[in-house]
Amino acid sequence: MSTNTEEHSVRVAAICDRMAALEGPLLPILHEVQEEFGHIPEGALQTISKKLNLSRAEVHGVASFYHDFREEKAGKHVIKICRAEACQAMGADDLGDHAKSRLKVDWSQTTSDHKVTLEPVFCLGLCACAPAAMVDGKVVGRVSKDRMNRILDEVGS
């Protein structure tokens, strides 16, 4: 085990110890681990499963079910485009294709310069202002291709 992995294991174990008494601690622990590292590092699921007395498969099942959990660090900027029905009806598919083409990435990928990660999201609660996106945690409505170009220019891609 490398020093980095050992250090991660110690830090993940500390998070588990601090949060294990919560009712249903798995999701809060996964969120805290991702907040700490920017992703769920290799070996973290094993540490969490041992601390919570769950199988690694149970922990992996939860971590892989939710789109917000990552195995690799995201880019400096994260752009999420809504893929739910209301946004699709208002052009989100074309908007997503435009962003993927401009960034030269697919969904859930990061640009080669690590500046932007593009992710699908399934409802931002902004259906009346579709298509919607989230840029670095800020929700943006009525996103046209022109507006997406301005957003991408601002984040430096």
Side-chain angles (χ1 to χ4, degrees), residues 1-16 33 36-48 51 71 73:
M1 188 181 292
S2 72
T3 304
N4 198 26
T5 305
E6 289 174 14
E7 178 188 337
H8 287 171
S9 183
V10 168
R11 290 166 58 191
V12 170
I15 291 169
C16 291
V33 168
E36 174 89 11
F37 298 101
H39 67 296
I40 307 293
E42 184 178 337
L45 299 183
Q46 184 174 353
T47 301
I48 294 167
K51 286 289 189 175
E71 293 179 2
K73 285 187 178 183

mmCIF file of all heavy atoms in Angstrom, residues 1-16 33 36-48 51 71 73:
data_model
loop_
_atom_site.group_PDB
_atom_site.id
_atom_site.type_symbol
_atom_site.label_atom_id
_atom_site.label_comp_id
_atom_site.label_asym_id
_atom_site.label_seq_id
_atom_site.Cartn_x
_atom_site.Cartn_y
_atom_site.Cartn_z
ATOM 1 N N MET A 1 0.858 -1.181 0.000
ATOM 2 C CA MET A 1 0.000 0.000 0.000
ATOM 3 C C MET A 1 0.898 1.236 0.000
ATOM 4 O O MET A 1 1.800 1.355 0.813
ATOM 5 C CB MET A 1 -0.902 -0.035 1.244
ATOM 6 C CG MET A 1 -1.969 1.033 1.247
ATOM 7 S SD MET A 1 -3.029 1.039 2.721
ATOM 8 C CE MET A 1 -3.939 -0.458 2.556
ATOM 9 N N SER A 2 0.632 2.163 -0.907
ATOM 10 C CA SER A 2 1.457 3.368 -0.977
ATOM 11 C C SER A 2 1.138 4.309 0.178
ATOM 12 O O SER A 2 0.091 4.198 0.814
ATOM 13 C CB SER A 2 1.228 4.080 -2.315
ATOM 14 O OG SER A 2 -0.048 4.687 -2.336
ATOM 15 N N THR A 3 2.045 5.234 0.426
ATOM 16 C CA THR A 3 1.845 6.213 1.500
ATOM 17 C C THR A 3 0.572 7.010 1.261
ATOM 18 O O THR A 3 -0.195 7.252 2.189
ATOM 19 C CB THR A 3 3.054 7.161 1.586
ATOM 20 O OG1 THR A 3 4.221 6.365 1.771
ATOM 21 C CG2 THR A 3 2.913 8.123 2.741
ATOM 22 N N ASN A 4 0.347 7.398 -0.002
ATOM 23 C CA ASN A 4 -0.843 8.164 -0.341
ATOM 24 C C ASN A 4 -2.109 7.365 -0.025
ATOM 25 O O ASN A 4 -3.051 7.883 0.555
ATOM 26 C CB ASN A 4 -0.804 8.559 -1.822
ATOM 27 C CG ASN A 4 -1.753 9.684 -2.146
ATOM 28 O OD1 ASN A 4 -2.098 10.483 -1.292
ATOM 29 N ND2 ASN A 4 -2.166 9.739 -3.383
ATOM 30 N N THR A 5 -2.117 6.068 -0.364
ATOM 31 C CA THR A 5 -3.263 5.217 -0.088
ATOM 32 C C THR A 5 -3.439 5.021 1.411
ATOM 33 O O THR A 5 -4.557 5.029 1.911
ATOM 34 C CB THR A 5 -3.102 3.859 -0.801
ATOM 35 O OG1 THR A 5 -2.892 4.094 -2.191
ATOM 36 C CG2 THR A 5 -4.324 2.999 -0.634
ATOM 37 N N GLU A 6 -2.331 4.859 2.117
ATOM 38 C CA GLU A 6 -2.404 4.722 3.578
ATOM 39 C C GLU A 6 -2.964 5.992 4.208
ATOM 40 O O GLU A 6 -3.806 5.930 5.105
ATOM 41 C CB GLU A 6 -1.026 4.425 4.156
ATOM 42 C CG GLU A 6 -0.512 3.037 3.842
ATOM 43 C CD GLU A 6 0.914 2.816 4.311
ATOM 44 O OE1 GLU A 6 1.421 3.626 5.108
ATOM 45 O OE2 GLU A 6 1.521 1.837 3.853
ATOM 46 N N GLU A 7 -2.494 7.142 3.740
ATOM 47 C CA GLU A 7 -2.986 8.411 4.255
ATOM 48 C C GLU A 7 -4.482 8.561 3.964
ATOM 49 O O GLU A 7 -5.247 8.975 4.842
ATOM 50 C CB GLU A 7 -2.220 9.578 3.619
ATOM 51 C CG GLU A 7 -2.711 10.944 4.080
ATOM 52 C CD GLU A 7 -2.085 12.089 3.296
ATOM 53 O OE1 GLU A 7 -0.998 11.896 2.720
ATOM 54 O OE2 GLU A 7 -2.709 13.158 3.273
ATOM 55 N N HIS A 8 -4.889 8.208 2.744
ATOM 56 C CA HIS A 8 -6.312 8.264 2.397
ATOM 57 C C HIS A 8 -7.126 7.363 3.321
ATOM 58 O O HIS A 8 -8.182 7.757 3.806
ATOM 59 C CB HIS A 8 -6.539 7.843 0.943
ATOM 60 C CG HIS A 8 -6.100 8.865 -0.047
ATOM 61 N ND1 HIS A 8 -6.059 8.592 -1.383
ATOM 62 C CD2 HIS A 8 -5.698 10.143 0.070
ATOM 63 C CE1 HIS A 8 -5.647 9.664 -2.043
ATOM 64 N NE2 HIS A 8 -5.415 10.616 -1.174
ATOM 65 N N SER A 9 -6.617 6.160 3.558
ATOM 66 C CA SER A 9 -7.319 5.203 4.411
ATOM 67 C C SER A 9 -7.507 5.752 5.820
ATOM 68 O O SER A 9 -8.580 5.623 6.410
ATOM 69 C CB SER A 9 -6.556 3.885 4.437
ATOM 70 O OG SER A 9 -7.254 2.936 5.191
ATOM 71 N N VAL A 10 -6.474 6.383 6.350
ATOM 72 C CA VAL A 10 -6.554 6.967 7.695
ATOM 73 C C VAL A 10 -7.585 8.091 7.721
ATOM 74 O O VAL A 10 -8.408 8.174 8.642
ATOM 75 C CB VAL A 10 -5.165 7.475 8.149
ATOM 76 C CG1 VAL A 10 -5.262 8.341 9.389
ATOM 77 C CG2 VAL A 10 -4.229 6.300 8.375
ATOM 78 N N ARG A 11 -7.560 8.939 6.713
ATOM 79 C CA ARG A 11 -8.506 10.057 6.662
ATOM 80 C C ARG A 11 -9.937 9.581 6.458
ATOM 81 O O ARG A 11 -10.875 10.104 7.072
ATOM 82 C CB ARG A 11 -8.084 11.048 5.578
ATOM 83 C CG ARG A 11 -6.798 11.792 5.975
ATOM 84 C CD ARG A 11 -6.133 12.537 4.861
ATOM 85 N NE ARG A 11 -6.951 13.546 4.204
ATOM 86 C CZ ARG A 11 -6.598 14.148 3.072
ATOM 87 N NH1 ARG A 11 -5.453 13.852 2.483
ATOM 88 N NH2 ARG A 11 -7.384 15.056 2.536
ATOM 89 N N VAL A 12 -10.137 8.559 5.604
ATOM 90 C CA VAL A 12 -11.479 7.995 5.398
ATOM 91 C C VAL A 12 -11.968 7.346 6.688
ATOM 92 O O VAL A 12 -13.130 7.514 7.079
ATOM 93 C CB VAL A 12 -11.486 6.989 4.221
ATOM 94 C CG1 VAL A 12 -12.804 6.224 4.165
ATOM 95 C CG2 VAL A 12 -11.222 7.713 2.903
ATOM 96 N N ALA A 13 -11.095 6.628 7.378
ATOM 97 C CA ALA A 13 -11.462 5.990 8.645
ATOM 98 C C ALA A 13 -11.887 7.035 9.671
ATOM 99 O O ALA A 13 -12.854 6.832 10.418
ATOM 100 C CB ALA A 13 -10.301 5.153 9.177
ATOM 101 N N ALA A 14 -11.196 8.165 9.712
ATOM 102 C CA ALA A 14 -11.555 9.239 10.648
ATOM 103 C C ALA A 14 -12.935 9.803 10.322
ATOM 104 O O ALA A 14 -13.730 10.093 11.230
ATOM 105 C CB ALA A 14 -10.497 10.340 10.611
ATOM 106 N N ILE A 15 -13.228 9.957 9.041
ATOM 107 C CA ILE A 15 -14.560 10.433 8.641
ATOM 108 C C ILE A 15 -15.619 9.429 9.086
ATOM 109 O O ILE A 15 -16.656 9.807 9.648
ATOM 110 C CB ILE A 15 -14.616 10.660 7.114
ATOM 111 C CG1 ILE A 15 -13.753 11.862 6.726
ATOM 112 C CG2 ILE A 15 -16.060 10.854 6.635
ATOM 113 C CD1 ILE A 15 -13.517 12.025 5.227
ATOM 114 N N CYS A 16 -15.351 8.151 8.864
ATOM 115 C CA CYS A 16 -16.300 7.104 9.271
ATOM 116 C C CYS A 16 -16.522 7.127 10.781
ATOM 117 O O CYS A 16 -17.669 7.050 11.245
ATOM 118 C CB CYS A 16 -15.791 5.728 8.844
ATOM 119 S SG CYS A 16 -15.807 5.451 7.069
ATOM 120 N N VAL A 33 -16.413 12.129 2.217
ATOM 121 C CA VAL A 33 -15.173 11.636 1.602
ATOM 122 C C VAL A 33 -14.936 12.371 0.279
ATOM 123 O O VAL A 33 -13.830 12.827 -0.002
ATOM 124 C CB VAL A 33 -15.208 10.103 1.402
ATOM 125 C CG1 VAL A 33 -14.072 9.638 0.502
ATOM 126 C CG2 VAL A 33 -15.158 9.392 2.752
ATOM 127 N N GLU A 36 -13.811 15.853 0.911
ATOM 128 C CA GLU A 36 -12.422 15.867 1.398
ATOM 129 C C GLU A 36 -11.403 15.699 0.271
ATOM 130 O O GLU A 36 -10.394 16.382 0.233
ATOM 131 C CB GLU A 36 -12.243 14.741 2.420
ATOM 132 C CG GLU A 36 -10.839 14.545 2.911
ATOM 133 C CD GLU A 36 -10.488 15.365 4.126
ATOM 134 O OE1 GLU A 36 -11.393 15.948 4.746
ATOM 135 O OE2 GLU A 36 -9.299 15.425 4.452
ATOM 136 N N PHE A 37 -11.680 14.777 -0.653
ATOM 137 C CA PHE A 37 -10.694 14.428 -1.673
ATOM 138 C C PHE A 37 -11.033 14.928 -3.082
ATOM 139 O O PHE A 37 -10.196 14.849 -3.972
ATOM 140 C CB PHE A 37 -10.509 12.904 -1.741
ATOM 141 C CG PHE A 37 -9.998 12.302 -0.467
ATOM 142 C CD1 PHE A 37 -10.856 11.663 0.411
ATOM 143 C CD2 PHE A 37 -8.654 12.365 -0.143
ATOM 144 C CE1 PHE A 37 -10.400 11.101 1.591
ATOM 145 C CE2 PHE A 37 -8.177 11.810 1.035
ATOM 146 C CZ PHE A 37 -9.052 11.174 1.905
ATOM 147 N N GLY A 38 -12.274 15.355 -3.286
ATOM 148 C CA GLY A 38 -12.706 15.742 -4.632
ATOM 149 C C GLY A 38 -13.200 14.555 -5.435
ATOM 150 O O GLY A 38 -13.636 14.708 -6.570
ATOM 151 N N HIS A 39 -13.109 13.366 -4.857
ATOM 152 C CA HIS A 39 -13.574 12.126 -5.474
ATOM 153 C C HIS A 39 -13.545 11.048 -4.390
ATOM 154 O O HIS A 39 -13.129 11.313 -3.261
ATOM 155 C CB HIS A 39 -12.686 11.741 -6.664
ATOM 156 C CG HIS A 39 -11.289 11.355 -6.298
ATOM 157 N ND1 HIS A 39 -10.388 12.222 -5.714
ATOM 158 C CD2 HIS A 39 -10.632 10.177 -6.417
ATOM 159 C CE1 HIS A 39 -9.243 11.600 -5.501
ATOM 160 N NE2 HIS A 39 -9.363 10.358 -5.918
ATOM 161 N N ILE A 40 -13.987 9.849 -4.752
ATOM 162 C CA ILE A 40 -13.900 8.729 -3.825
ATOM 163 C C ILE A 40 -12.614 7.976 -4.183
ATOM 164 O O ILE A 40 -12.551 7.295 -5.200
ATOM 165 C CB ILE A 40 -15.117 7.771 -3.952
ATOM 166 C CG1 ILE A 40 -16.448 8.533 -3.829
ATOM 167 C CG2 ILE A 40 -15.014 6.649 -2.937
ATOM 168 C CD1 ILE A 40 -16.744 9.135 -2.495
ATOM 169 N N PRO A 41 -11.558 8.133 -3.386
ATOM 170 C CA PRO A 41 -10.274 7.536 -3.751
ATOM 171 C C PRO A 41 -10.288 6.010 -3.688
ATOM 172 O O PRO A 41 -11.104 5.406 -2.988
ATOM 173 C CB PRO A 41 -9.292 8.113 -2.725
ATOM 174 C CG PRO A 41 -10.114 8.609 -1.615
ATOM 175 C CD PRO A 41 -11.492 8.877 -2.132
ATOM 176 N N GLU A 42 -9.335 5.427 -4.416
ATOM 177 C CA GLU A 42 -9.176 3.981 -4.416
ATOM 178 C C GLU A 42 -8.971 3.501 -2.981
ATOM 179 O O GLU A 42 -8.228 4.081 -2.206
ATOM 180 C CB GLU A 42 -7.948 3.628 -5.263
ATOM 181 C CG GLU A 42 -7.727 2.150 -5.421
ATOM 182 C CD GLU A 42 -6.530 1.840 -6.296
ATOM 183 O OE1 GLU A 42 -6.138 2.695 -7.107
ATOM 184 O OE2 GLU A 42 -5.987 0.744 -6.134
ATOM 185 N N GLY A 43 -9.649 2.453 -2.627
ATOM 186 C CA GLY A 43 -9.522 1.888 -1.285
ATOM 187 C C GLY A 43 -10.519 2.446 -0.285
ATOM 188 O O GLY A 43 -10.721 1.850 0.775
ATOM 189 N N ALA A 44 -11.146 3.573 -0.601
ATOM 190 C CA ALA A 44 -12.078 4.183 0.350
ATOM 191 C C ALA A 44 -13.293 3.298 0.602
ATOM 192 O O ALA A 44 -13.754 3.191 1.740
ATOM 193 C CB ALA A 44 -12.522 5.554 -0.146
ATOM 194 N N LEU A 45 -13.795 2.651 -0.442
ATOM 195 C CA LEU A 45 -14.984 1.813 -0.273
ATOM 196 C C LEU A 45 -14.700 0.648 0.671
ATOM 197 O O LEU A 45 -15.545 0.285 1.484
ATOM 198 C CB LEU A 45 -15.477 1.298 -1.628
ATOM 199 C CG LEU A 45 -15.904 2.368 -2.637
ATOM 200 C CD1 LEU A 45 -16.434 1.707 -3.900
ATOM 201 C CD2 LEU A 45 -16.912 3.329 -2.060
ATOM 202 N N GLN A 46 -13.500 0.092 0.582
ATOM 203 C CA GLN A 46 -13.127 -1.005 1.465
ATOM 204 C C GLN A 46 -13.056 -0.521 2.918
ATOM 205 O O GLN A 46 -13.549 -1.182 3.832
ATOM 206 C CB GLN A 46 -11.793 -1.604 1.044
ATOM 207 C CG GLN A 46 -11.403 -2.812 1.862
ATOM 208 C CD GLN A 46 -10.149 -3.475 1.328
ATOM 209 O OE1 GLN A 46 -9.646 -3.123 0.282
ATOM 210 N NE2 GLN A 46 -9.650 -4.447 2.066
ATOM 211 N N THR A 47 -12.463 0.640 3.129
ATOM 212 C CA THR A 47 -12.370 1.205 4.486
ATOM 213 C C THR A 47 -13.763 1.483 5.038
ATOM 214 O O THR A 47 -14.064 1.148 6.193
ATOM 215 C CB THR A 47 -11.539 2.503 4.469
ATOM 216 O OG1 THR A 47 -10.231 2.212 3.962
ATOM 217 C CG2 THR A 47 -11.434 3.114 5.858
ATOM 218 N N ILE A 48 -14.615 2.082 4.223
ATOM 219 C CA ILE A 48 -15.981 2.401 4.657
ATOM 220 C C ILE A 48 -16.738 1.118 4.988
ATOM 221 O O ILE A 48 -17.425 1.040 6.013
ATOM 222 C CB ILE A 48 -16.719 3.224 3.580
ATOM 223 C CG1 ILE A 48 -16.064 4.594 3.416
ATOM 224 C CG2 ILE A 48 -18.200 3.363 3.924
ATOM 225 C CD1 ILE A 48 -16.516 5.363 2.181
ATOM 226 N N LYS A 51 -15.606 -0.232 8.330
ATOM 227 C CA LYS A 51 -16.035 0.612 9.457
ATOM 228 C C LYS A 51 -17.534 0.488 9.730
ATOM 229 O O LYS A 51 -17.975 0.606 10.873
ATOM 230 C CB LYS A 51 -15.676 2.078 9.187
ATOM 231 C CG LYS A 51 -14.206 2.372 9.331
ATOM 232 C CD LYS A 51 -13.801 2.310 10.791
ATOM 233 C CE LYS A 51 -12.412 2.801 11.040
ATOM 234 N NZ LYS A 51 -12.093 2.842 12.454
ATOM 235 N N GLU A 71 -15.000 8.615 -9.211
ATOM 236 C CA GLU A 71 -13.800 7.835 -8.913
ATOM 237 C C GLU A 71 -12.542 8.631 -9.220
ATOM 238 O O GLU A 71 -11.459 8.265 -8.776
ATOM 239 C CB GLU A 71 -13.804 6.539 -9.719
ATOM 240 C CG GLU A 71 -14.904 5.582 -9.301
ATOM 241 C CD GLU A 71 -14.918 4.308 -10.124
ATOM 242 O OE1 GLU A 71 -14.044 4.139 -11.000
ATOM 243 O OE2 GLU A 71 -15.814 3.493 -9.880
ATOM 244 N N LYS A 73 -10.940 12.824 -9.799
ATOM 245 C CA LYS A 73 -11.203 14.229 -9.521
ATOM 246 C C LYS A 73 -11.842 14.897 -10.729
ATOM 247 O O LYS A 73 -11.490 14.598 -11.868
ATOM 248 C CB LYS A 73 -9.918 14.973 -9.167
ATOM 249 C CG LYS A 73 -9.429 14.666 -7.783
ATOM 250 C CD LYS A 73 -8.261 15.555 -7.417
ATOM 251 C CE LYS A 73 -7.831 15.248 -5.994
ATOM 252 N NZ LYS A 73 -6.757 16.113 -5.546
#
